[in-house]
Amino acid sequence: SCKSKCEICNKQVSALGANKTACIDHCHKTNKIRGILCNNCNAGLGSFNDNIVLIKNAIKYLGKEDTQYKYYKWKRERNVKINKICPITGEKNNLVCDHNHKTGFIRGNIYNYINMGMGSFQDSIEILEKAIKYLEKKRE
């Protein structure tokens, strides 16, 4: 069949046609195929560089309280800096403003690829935990 489910989020994916949503996931070290993922979960793993420790750090980060800064106001002022280093990776460069989409408040400044990865996983702790299980199951 041309239809399958993402092995992380369980979303229905299609391997054919203009609406192709399935990705063949592979390990970049071994080049071995690991499974079928949706576009978002595949991009999310790539943003985290398949690093389980970083995904666990992101889960802890998502459990923290928001700041008192509203995102829309920060975007205008641009001078609010919450973190000097990314609390997930320890990176000092390429930090971007991360905000809680539900509350509209800023959570902090994090490394840009991690911000994209968390967005790919819909800022969902549940999906991030499933990504960890997927990577652990697919290890050599």
Side-chain angles (χ1 to χ4, degrees):
S1 165
C2 298
K3 293 210 179 238
S4 185
K5 288 194 176 192
C6 173
E7 290 189 47
I8 293 176
C9 73
N10 213 29
K11 183 171 87 178
Q12 188 81 28
V13 293
S14 173
L16 295 175
N19 296 326
K20 180 181 172 226
T21 55
C23 291
I24 298 172
D25 176 50
H26 71 286
C27 174
H28 288 263
K29 290 179 184 163
T30 66
N31 226 21
K32 290 184 180 178
I33 293 173
R34 291 188 290 214
I36 302 295
L37 300 178
C38 70
N39 293 331
N40 284 340
C41 288
N42 191 55
L45 287 183
S47 295
F48 280 99
N49 203 22
D50 294 350
N51 187 320
I52 290 172
V53 172
L54 293 180
I55 297 171
K56 286 180 179 179
N57 290 348
I59 290 168
K60 286 181 205 164
Y61 172 80
L62 286 170
K64 289 176 27 179
E65 300 246 340
D66 296 343
T67 67
Q68 74 274 18
Y69 302 108
K70 270 290 207 186
Y71 182 64
Y72 71 89
K73 187 174 181 184
W74 182 87
K75 283 194 67 103
R76 280 198 308 260
E77 293 175 5
R78 292 272 182 208
N79 59 356
V80 177
K81 294 289 180 207
I82 291 39
N83 308 97
K84 291 187 178 177
I85 65 166
C86 174
I88 298 169
T89 64
E91 288 280 337
K92 294 179 182 174
N93 299 313
N94 300 315
L95 302 185
V96 296
C97 181
D98 173 55
H99 71 287
N100 184 326
H101 291 261
K102 290 179 185 156
T103 67
F105 284 91
I106 294 172
R107 285 188 284 236
N109 304 108
I110 62 174
Y111 186 56
N112 60 350
Y113 286 108
I114 296 301
N115 191 47
M116 289 188 298
M118 288 189 343
S120 294
F121 289 125
Q122 303 161 36
D123 289 354
S124 167
I125 290 172
E126 181 184 8
I127 296 174
L128 286 163
E129 287 171 341
K130 288 178 181 180
I132 290 170
K133 287 179 184 164
Y134 172 81
L135 288 173
E136 287 173 342
K137 183 174 74 174
K138 301 295 182 169
R139 277 192 178 147
E140 292 300 309

